Amino acid sequence: MSVSDDFFDRIARRILTAHASSLPDLRGITVLLPNFHVAQPLARALMRGAQRPALLLPQMVTLNDWAQNIVPDALVVSDSQRSALLYQQLRDKKWFENADLWSMTQELLALFDELTYSLADLPGNAEEFAAAVQKAYQARQNSTLQLEARLVFELWHAMQSGAELDAARVYQSRLAGLAGQAAQPLYVLRTSDWNALEQRFLDEYAERAAVVVFDLREMDTQWGGLLRATSNGLREQSIPALGDRLHFFAATSLEQEARAAAMQVRLWLQAGKRDIAIVAQDRVVARRMRALLERAEILVADETGWTFATLSVSTVLDRWLSALQSDFYHQDLLDLLKSPFIFADMAAGERKSAVYQLEQLLRKQGVVAGLEKFSALAESELVLHQPLARLRQAAALLEQNKKKTLAEWLDALRESLQVLGIDKGLQQDDAGLQLLGALQHWQQELAADAGRYRFAEWRRWLAQQLDTETFRDSSIDSPVRFTHLAATRWRAFDAVLLLGCDADHLPGVSDGGRWFNDAVRAALNLPTRATHAARQRDDLLALLALNDSVLVTWQKDRNGEAGLLSPYLEMLRDLHELTYGDDLTESGLHAWLAAEDAHSVELPAATQPAPAAAADLVPPSVSISGYNSLVACPYQFHARHILRLNELDEVQEVIEKRDYGERVHKILQRFHGRYPLASEHPDDELQTALRQISEDVFADLLQQDFEARAWLARWFKSLFAYIEWQKQNEAQGWRHAESESAFDWDLEVVRLRGRIDRLDVNGEAKRVLDYKTQSEQVLRNKLREPGEDVQLACYAYAHEAADAAFVSIENGKVKLVEPKHDVPLLAQLNAERLVNVMGAIRGGAGLVANGIDAVCGYCEMRGVCRKGEWL
């Protein structure tokens, strides 16, 4: 016989003895249960105690379900209607202009319900309720209340003036009706104190019929007396050693706690346990544990459920509204289009292809936001026409510049979901179906609400609604279940796992929120944090008293800081250690986790890679930047230009140094195209022309980003110096010949391609120049080692130039930076090296990852070569 059977047998004997004359018919009594899970063990106990072939069982019901038998005599206002009405009042009063009014509304409504429950009487109708509210109001009017407490009290009084019933008033009215009809004996099972309203119902019921309360704290004085200020040691409480019933596992990380918990569940299942409860105090650990169990093909039923705000079906709504509100900011749009729920009426391959093409287009063109801009870019991409058209149609339904009622916003949202095919995707998911049902239900509830809201207000309301609505997956039937502490009242399991029992989560005390704290609640005579904590303590002790196989897990280290065990469990563990010399530490799981680690596949340690490329994969041509990559690190060249693992270009949102350099190149190309010989024109004309050309080239950037003005000012600082340098250059006999001229040279086994910034001539002599918006010293460092930077040498080779130089344009100075080595020889050697290396690569030579730290620090392929993990 289990520990819990003894308690149920004692209850059964009490009921059977009191109603022996009515046997075998017990239908004339009612048993109030904390949950319906308790009905089965109690029924079995009654059958055992009666020892009869047949027994007509009593009515076994929870108080909430029993109250549903009483029909309210007035209209019932939904919580969504109350919330909208109160929000409008707070918004109109402008008492809290910078506050989150929707959040405050939820907190206030919860306090209003508790104030309703706290009435001294159980009003049975609207007149009695109004009288009770007025009586409470008059009694408190002269008392000294804190400002926030008085605000709550005044608003509550005003909100109860209508004839409609809210949920709290309906429950109160129903309980009054049950108490007024009391005729049958009533038996009650509980483990902790009831709230004031439910206790008042019992008191009024007891005035008309017999009420017997089976309080586990009184039935089991051993456990019931623990963890209180006056509690003694375990031996004084006659509690035997708990080493075979209760253990503690202190984890060093979230991952270890989840792994240990999952391992324990697997061990329990292997031992034949078929009713395992996971009481999850920490939902983050619970998520990870669930994933580990599912990896082991163990499904978990969930009695607690998850709020819609945490589910993917709500994520697609958030992505859609975020994209709309941000004028289709590219990242929001791509996140939306990658959801599996959007365009569910399209073939999966067609949808993925459209998303891929749009992403490539946006990254290539660098458009940050704007649906019309995206549509203009996609004119030649037929596969994108329909999705973008549907987005425009859906966006038109949700007019952000207008104020609408909540019902109108919800109607527009549902229409937009239909246009985007999201509703079809949601209909294929259980949670999605419930979400669509909730949207429709809220729309019907709020049809009469005339308040008008901006788009941002409605969106905040919707987010809050999704955070309060819960989804429970009823399709999973499993011996393992998630539940919460209050749901374990009077329940016995084969095994119990108390997950995440650190001091931050147990007691997990609910309170009035950040606005209305314990001080406000105390002033209003409402339950405080201590009240909720005491209830959790009693529920925890009841769970431990009824179950003989319990494991407690917690994290003793959290993010590098010491974590504390729940004070209740810490006290229990300390009492056990003082009494029996055993701190109840679970040690076997560490061995199981070590064994699991030993069976895991160990990847070989990373070594310095030197892959060889198949000849047909080696590119036939190499750009100057590709050649530089090959010299800097052969493996980088392999990853970038042979495997083509280049990262996708990011859509550029701010102007970078690279953009500045490109604009300077364009400015100087136009300038020299208009003034091939600057020395023939006066300085003021050249400055005016160069300034005008600069503003024209920067025009689009100036419209896009205000920071472009800073970059333009930076160029203007060097404008006069450039004209002066150009005239000095011409005085030495050099003449501008070409700008931005491309070349493509055949070098036997490879073609070398690129584009030179500028070619100057001096009679028969040629000189290639490369503009750089870098300091003179940085450029000299580039040229310090011959062959390290191949740019100038390759340009000289391509144009058969005897001279080559960088033109440093930086900080109001223009300097010519020339290599110290013989340029023609350097050019020839670089060409020969490229031919030899590419020939070796085609022949199967390894491309070693040998870049220096200065190169690796900026290399996007470092995660591929895994430098830092090599032996």
Side-chain angles (χ1 to χ4, degrees):
M1 180 178 291
S2 67
V3 177
S4 61
D5 286 342
D6 176 60
F7 291 106
F8 285 112
D9 286 343
R10 288 161 60 185
I11 295 171
R13 285 195 298 270
R14 178 81 176 270
I15 294 174
L16 293 171
T17 300
H19 302 279
S21 60
S22 302
L23 294 176
D25 188 355
L26 296 177
R27 291 176 297 174
I29 65 175
T30 297
V31 182
L32 275 186
L33 307 175
N35 54 71
F36 282 109
H37 298 282
V38 183
Q40 191 174 21
L42 180 57
R44 287 198 298 262
L46 288 170
M47 292 294 294
R48 284 195 302 269
Q51 296 183 346
R52 290 174 177 263
L55 185 69
L56 297 176
L57 294 170
Q59 175 183 216
M60 292 185 284
V61 66
T62 65
L63 184 56
N64 185 64
D65 279 87
W66 193 21
Q68 302 304 313
N69 295 329
I70 304 298
V71 180
D73 56 359
L75 294 174
V76 179
V77 180
S78 68
D79 287 340
S80 60
Q81 290 172 306
R82 293 173 70 208
S83 178
L85 178 61
L86 181 56
Y87 178 87
Q88 292 167 42
Q89 291 183 1
L90 292 177
R91 184 178 62 182
D92 293 342
K93 296 290 186 183
K94 297 182 179 179
W95 290 333
F96 307 98
E97 292 191 55
N98 297 321
D100 179 0
L101 293 186
W102 282 121
S103 177
M104 184 180 290
T105 297
Q106 288 297 103
E107 294 175 10
L108 278 169
L109 290 178
L111 285 172
F112 291 170
D113 290 345
E114 290 186 287
L115 280 168
T116 299
Y117 292 157
S118 69
L119 291 176
D121 303 312
L122 269 183
N125 53 49
E127 290 76 16
E128 291 179 8
F129 179 80
V133 169
Q134 190 62 27
K135 181 180 178 181
Y137 185 70
Q138 290 174 349
R140 305 293 293 285
Q141 249 185 336
N142 296 325
S143 63
T144 303
L145 294 179
Q146 299 174 23
L147 176 62
E148 286 181 282
R150 181 168 294 281
L151 168 69
V152 172
F153 200 65
E154 297 279 355
L155 285 171
W156 170 70
H157 180 258
M159 287 285 288
Q160 306 303 341
S161 60
E164 299 88 354
L165 299 179
D166 56 42
R169 289 175 60 182
V170 167
Y171 187 48
Q172 189 181 56
S173 176
R174 283 172 166 164
L175 292 185
L178 284 178
Q181 298 173 6
Q184 297 179 331
L186 179 64
Y187 294 89
V188 181
L189 276 68
R190 69 183 181 191
T191 63
S192 53
D193 291 338
W194 282 14
N195 64 38
L197 172 63
E198 293 165 336
Q199 185 59 50
R200 199 172 306 117
F201 159 75
L202 282 187
D203 295 340
E204 293 194 14
Y205 194 102
E207 293 176 2
R208 297 175 177 85
V211 175
V212 178
V213 177
F214 295 105
D215 192 325
L216 191 61
R217 293 170 296 181
E218 299 172 0
M219 295 178 67
D220 189 344
T221 56
Q222 298 174 339
W223 284 94
L226 281 176
L227 309 187
R228 287 170 170 78
T230 58
S231 65
N232 298 314
L234 300 186
R235 190 168 280 135
E236 289 81 353
Q237 297 291 118
S238 301
I239 296 180
L242 303 174
D244 59 344
R245 297 181 57 182
L246 175 65
H247 292 95
F248 293 84
F249 183 89
T252 56
S253 66
L254 183 150
E255 181 67 17
Q256 188 187 50
E257 183 179 10
R259 286 184 60 209
M263 178 63 72
Q264 182 62 76
V265 169
R266 291 161 63 187
L267 292 172
W268 278 334
L269 289 172
Q270 190 176 26
K273 298 184 185 296
R274 289 295 175 262
D275 188 10
I276 300 171
I278 303 169
V279 183
Q281 302 299 122
D282 187 336
R283 298 292 275 176
V284 178
V285 180
R287 279 183 177 273
R288 179 56 182 155
M289 177 195 179
R290 183 174 193 159
L292 292 173
L293 288 174
E294 289 180 351
R295 182 187 297 175
E297 299 184 355
I298 300 172
L299 297 180
V300 183
D302 194 345
E303 297 178 356
T304 306
W306 302 88
T307 62
F308 274 101
T310 64
L311 302 178
S312 59
V313 293
S314 295
T315 302
V316 68
L317 298 189
D318 182 67
R319 287 176 177 174
W320 163 229
L321 297 177
S322 293
L324 190 65
Q325 200 167 7
S326 67
D327 189 27
F328 292 92
Y329 175 62
H330 66 283
Q331 289 185 357
D332 291 337
L333 177 59
L334 291 174
D335 283 346
L336 169 65
L337 295 179
K338 290 175 182 178
S339 168
F341 295 106
I342 194 170
F343 300 138
D345 49 356
M346 294 173 62
E350 183 182 357
R351 183 176 72 246
K352 290 179 181 178
S353 175
V355 175
Y356 174 78
Q357 289 194 31
L358 181 61
E359 183 170 16
Q360 295 294 319
L361 191 63
L362 296 185
R363 292 182 184 277
K364 182 178 180 180
Q365 298 297 330
V367 178
V368 176
L371 195 56
E372 295 304 324
K373 294 179 182 178
F374 300 153
S375 299
L377 284 178
E379 283 185 359
S380 59
E381 305 288 344
L382 297 179
V383 72
L384 296 177
H385 287 182
Q386 185 186 14
L388 291 175
R390 292 173 71 173
L391 284 168
R392 287 197 302 273
Q393 182 184 351
L397 294 168
L398 288 162
E399 303 165 284
Q400 297 184 66
N401 58 343
K402 291 187 177 181
K403 285 188 175 182
K404 298 181 180 181
T405 66
L406 295 176
E408 289 172 345
W409 280 121
L410 287 169
D411 183 57
L413 174 64
R414 294 185 64 211
E415 285 188 41
S416 72
L417 298 182
Q418 292 172 0
V419 170
L420 295 174
I422 293 176
D423 65 329
K424 184 174 181 180
L426 294 177
Q427 289 167 12
Q428 298 168 7
D429 184 278
D430 290 341
L433 278 172
Q434 287 193 29
L435 175 59
L436 291 173
L439 294 175
Q440 183 176 11
H441 181 64
W442 294 331
Q443 184 180 347
Q444 293 170 350
E445 285 183 342
L446 294 164
D449 179 62
R452 307 191 76 78
Y453 305 83
R454 299 188 306 275
F455 178 85
E457 288 180 293
W458 164 73
R459 189 180 172 197
R460 178 69 187 90
W461 170 85
L462 180 62
Q464 182 166 277
Q465 290 294 107
L466 294 174
D467 200 34
T468 56
E469 194 78 6
T470 302
F471 167 73
R472 295 179 179 85
D473 189 351
S474 58
S475 64
I476 297 177
D477 184 16
S478 171
V480 184
R481 71 185 76 193
F482 280 129
T483 189
H484 56 94
L485 193 56
T488 65
R489 292 167 183 166
W490 275 100
R491 292 172 69 180
F493 306 91
D494 290 347
V496 177
L497 177 65
L498 286 166
L499 187 68
C501 293
D502 54 69
D504 292 335
H505 293 92
L506 182 66
V509 184
S510 61
D511 55 23
R514 58 197 171 107
W515 287 97
F516 310 109
N517 54 23
D518 262 7
V520 177
R521 302 177 69 85
L524 295 169
N525 292 331
L526 297 179
T528 61
R529 295 170 63 91
T531 309
H532 295 288
R535 187 171 296 141
Q536 290 180 72
R537 176 200 62 207
D538 292 339
D539 288 338
L540 174 63
L541 289 173
L543 177 66
L544 296 175
L546 290 170
N547 292 274
D548 55 10
S549 182
V550 180
L551 175 68
V552 175
T553 70
W554 61 290
Q555 294 173 50
K556 66 178 181 180
D557 295 314
R558 296 177 65 90
N559 301 321
E561 296 182 2
L564 299 176
L565 180 62
S566 163
Y568 299 148
L569 293 167
E570 180 81 35
M571 189 184 303
L572 178 61
R573 189 179 66 170
D574 290 347
L575 285 172
H576 193 274
E577 185 174 13
L578 287 171
T579 306
Y580 298 107
D582 179 8
D583 65 357
L584 301 172
T585 296
E586 210 299 323
S587 56
L589 280 176
H590 287 286
W592 284 104
L593 293 178
E596 185 179 56
D597 290 336
H599 285 84
S600 61
V601 177
E602 288 196 16
L603 297 175
T607 57
Q608 185 178 20
D616 57 338
L617 294 180
V618 179
S621 65
V622 175
S623 65
I624 299 297
S625 63
Y627 189 7
N628 257 330
S629 177
L630 179 61
V631 172
C633 175
Y635 187 87
Q636 184 190 84
F637 176 83
H638 174 258
R640 283 181 179 175
H641 301 283
I642 295 179
L643 299 182
R644 301 180 184 277
L645 297 179
N646 301 57
E647 291 181 330
L648 286 173
D649 292 333
E650 293 293 332
V651 176
Q652 194 171 308
E653 300 181 37
V654 295
I655 298 172
E656 298 175 352
K657 181 72 177 293
R658 180 183 58 184
D659 305 295
Y660 169 63
E662 289 175 353
R663 297 301 162 127
V664 170
H665 282 59
K666 289 181 180 180
I667 290 168
L668 296 179
Q669 181 185 11
R670 290 190 190 182
F671 175 73
H672 288 296
R674 186 184 301 181
Y675 297 98
L677 198 60
S679 56
E680 295 180 349
H681 303 273
D683 287 352
D684 56 348
E685 178 187 347
L686 295 175
Q687 288 185 43
T688 302
L690 189 53
R691 185 176 291 272
Q692 182 61 52
I693 293 171
S694 302
E695 291 175 347
D696 291 344
V697 170
F698 270 85
D700 60 328
L701 291 181
L702 292 172
Q703 292 179 352
Q704 172 186 328
D705 190 349
F706 185 79
E707 289 184 7
R709 298 187 178 277
W711 289 107
L712 181 58
R714 180 174 179 173
W715 160 242
F716 281 161
K717 190 176 180 180
S718 301
L719 188 145
F720 178 77
Y722 181 81
I723 293 174
E724 185 178 10
W725 172 84
Q726 175 59 26
K727 287 191 172 184
Q728 291 174 358
N729 192 51
E730 291 176 2
Q732 296 171 7
W734 292 105
R735 299 291 182 268
H736 173 273
E738 297 178 18
S739 289
E740 301 295 329
S741 53
F743 63 87
D744 191 344
W745 276 72
D746 190 350
L747 300 176
E748 299 178 18
V749 297
V750 67
R751 299 186 68 84
L752 179 65
R753 51 183 164 74
R755 182 180 298 274
I756 189 171
D757 290 353
R758 172 172 166 178
L759 175 67
D760 280 7
V761 296
N762 189 351
E764 296 297 322
K766 295 180 182 179
R767 182 173 66 182
V768 291
L769 298 176
D770 191 62
Y771 300 125
K772 295 291 184 184
T773 53
Q774 293 173 304
S775 69
E776 178 184 4
Q777 187 57 49
V778 169
L779 297 175
R780 293 200 183 281
N781 291 338
K782 276 190 174 187
L783 299 176
R784 181 174 298 164
E785 294 293 331
E788 286 296 316
D789 190 280
V790 304
Q791 195 169 13
L792 288 181
C794 288
Y795 288 161
Y797 184 87
H799 285 273
E800 298 179 337
D803 292 296
F806 289 128
V807 180
S808 168
I809 306 173
E810 179 68 1
N811 199 27
K813 299 177 182 178
V814 179
K815 297 284 186 179
L816 202 65
V817 182
E818 300 177 282
K820 294 181 179 179
H821 308 89
D822 183 79
V823 172
L825 178 60
L826 199 59
Q828 184 63 37
L829 292 175
N830 268 282
E832 291 175 1
R833 179 175 60 176
L834 179 60
V835 170
N836 293 334
V837 171
M838 293 302 293
I841 293 173
R842 291 185 189 281
L847 292 127
V848 184
N850 59 9
I852 61 174
D853 290 341
V855 171
C856 297
Y858 296 95
C859 180
E860 76 279 13
M861 300 303 167
R862 182 164 184 154
V864 183
C865 78
R866 300 177 68 187
K867 185 174 183 179
E869 300 179 24
W870 301 343
L871 288 176

